[in-house]
């Protein structure tokens, strides 16, 4: 079936290192992807998005890479900081469900070690 | 400019009672979405509403659950005769326009329902 999922449920990185969080999607019709950050007890917070006509998009300390050939999405965080510790979700639109709704993956818990 | 406001933040109900969760979208936003999140899982779409209209309720259980977004006042997610399986965090999000475009969603802090 159609799904958005993550390769690893947890990721631990040293403070200052770069983090890479991966996401796989199964529906080639997905045309819009978003990364959200969710801190404990809070709602998801938008980080960065990318359309399917792009391969890469950069923000402040974050980069999203999209490989449509293998249906893979990644979020790279440069110089990871303690405040980056959170659960990161990828979400997609245009494939799994209505174009009006986002379909979320199950999340990766990022832990930044001192 | 206040963000998406949800209340209550925490709600405890006994089996068979009713739960009402409220969501006030960001100022200027007329599109509201409700999502449910079980522990250590992603968010699952429930329903999408515009003022006075339900646009897509494909993710909402057919029984016991209902949602509204009246002309005046917050959006309400209502769960009747709650069961333990309804225990979850319920998130509301709003956007300025339909998410058929990008229509970035802004999420509230969530309402955490515990059914005893």
């Amino acid at each position: 079936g159609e799904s958005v999922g993550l390769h690893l449920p947890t990721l631990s990185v040293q403070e200052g290192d770069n983090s890479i969080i991966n996401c796989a999607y199964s529906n080639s019709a997905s045309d819009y992807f978003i990364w959200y950050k969710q801190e404990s007890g809070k709602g998801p917070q938008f980080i960065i998005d990318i359309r399917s006509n792009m391969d890469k998009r950069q923000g402040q300390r974050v980069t999203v890479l999209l490989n449509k050939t293998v249906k893979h999405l990644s979020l790279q965080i440069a110089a990871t900081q303690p405040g980056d510790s959170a659960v990161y979700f990828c979400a997609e639109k245009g494939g799994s469900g209505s174009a009006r709704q986002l379909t979320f993956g199950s999340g990766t818990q990022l832990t930044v070690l001192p | 400019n206040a963000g998406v406001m949800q209340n209550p933040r925490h709600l405890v109900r006994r089996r068979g009672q009713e739960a009402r969760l409220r969501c006030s979208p960001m100022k200027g936003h007329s599109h509201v979405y409700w999502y449910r999140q079980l522990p250590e899982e992603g968010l699952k779409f429930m329903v999408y509403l515009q003022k006075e209209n339900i646009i897509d309720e494909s993710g909402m259980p057919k029984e016991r659950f209902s949602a509204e977004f009246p002309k005046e006042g917050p959006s309400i997610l209502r769960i009747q005769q709650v069961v333990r399986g309804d225990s979850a965090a319920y998130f509301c999000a709003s956007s300025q326009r339909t998410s058929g475009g990008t229509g970035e969603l802004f999420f509230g802090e969530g309402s955490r329902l515990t059914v005893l």
Side-chain angles (χ1 to χ4, degrees):
Chain A
E2 300 167 348
S3 67
V4 177
L6 296 170
H7 291 306
L8 297 173
T10 62
L11 176 66
S12 296
V13 298
Q14 293 291 140
E15 182 178 354
D17 288 351
N18 296 335
S19 303
I20 300 177
I21 301 171
N22 297 302
C23 179
Y25 64 97
S26 58
N27 195 308
S28 57
S30 298
D31 61 3
Y32 178 59
F33 304 86
I34 307 178
W35 281 101
Y36 282 91
K37 172 187 179 183
Q38 186 177 26
E39 297 176 86
S40 180
K42 295 188 176 182
Q45 180 183 5
F46 174 91
I47 301 174
I48 192 168
D49 60 357
I50 188 168
R51 285 204 165 277
S52 60
N53 60 355
M54 302 172 68
D55 298 322
K56 178 179 179 179
R57 191 165 187 222
Q58 287 186 292
Q60 189 175 18
R61 275 202 313 120
V62 294
T63 301
V64 56
L65 299 176
L66 176 62
N67 186 330
K68 294 180 286 295
T69 302
V70 296
K71 299 189 187 70
H72 184 267
L73 189 71
S74 68
L75 176 70
Q76 299 179 3
I77 305 173
T80 313
Q81 302 169 359
D84 295 327
S85 291
V87 177
Y88 290 80
F89 294 97
C90 64
E92 59 92 12
K93 187 187 302 180
S96 299
S98 161
R100 300 185 182 94
Q101 52 143 310
L102 292 174
T103 301
F104 282 80
S106 56
T108 292
Q109 173 71 58
L110 174 66
T111 301
V112 181
L113 305 172
Chain B
N1 186 13
V4 177
M5 304 301 291
Q6 290 188 248
N7 69 85
R9 291 294 311 278
H10 300 275
L11 183 63
V12 179
R13 286 287 179 267
R14 295 190 180 280
R15 283 180 296 172
Q17 292 184 322
E18 178 180 289
R20 283 191 181 223
L21 310 177
R22 288 175 289 278
C23 170
S24 296
M26 285 183 69
K27 186 177 181 180
H29 287 191
S30 59
H31 301 261
V32 166
Y33 306 76
W34 285 94
Y35 284 79
R36 176 165 62 177
Q37 185 178 35
L38 296 173
E40 298 188 1
E41 292 190 11
L43 285 77
K44 305 295 184 188
F45 169 78
M46 298 182 73
V47 61
Y48 162 45
L49 310 103
Q50 293 180 29
K51 284 286 187 181
E52 300 183 277
N53 286 302
I54 296 174
I55 307 302
D56 182 349
E57 56 182 348
S58 59
M60 198 156 66
K62 296 288 188 289
E63 297 179 354
R64 301 189 299 108
F65 285 73
S66 62
E68 63 178 12
F69 188 16
K71 185 177 180 180
E72 301 291 338
S75 175
I76 306 284
L77 179 67
R78 181 184 180 200
I79 311 172
Q80 296 177 290
Q81 299 172 0
V82 296
V83 300
R84 288 211 174 106
D86 296 332
S87 295
Y90 292 84
F91 288 95
C92 172
S94 72
S95 70
Q96 277 187 317
R97 58 188 182 278
T98 177
S99 292
T102 53
E104 180 186 333
L105 296 186
F106 293 84
F107 282 84
E109 298 283 77
S111 291
R112 283 151 184 82
L113 172 66
T114 301
V115 180
L116 302 177

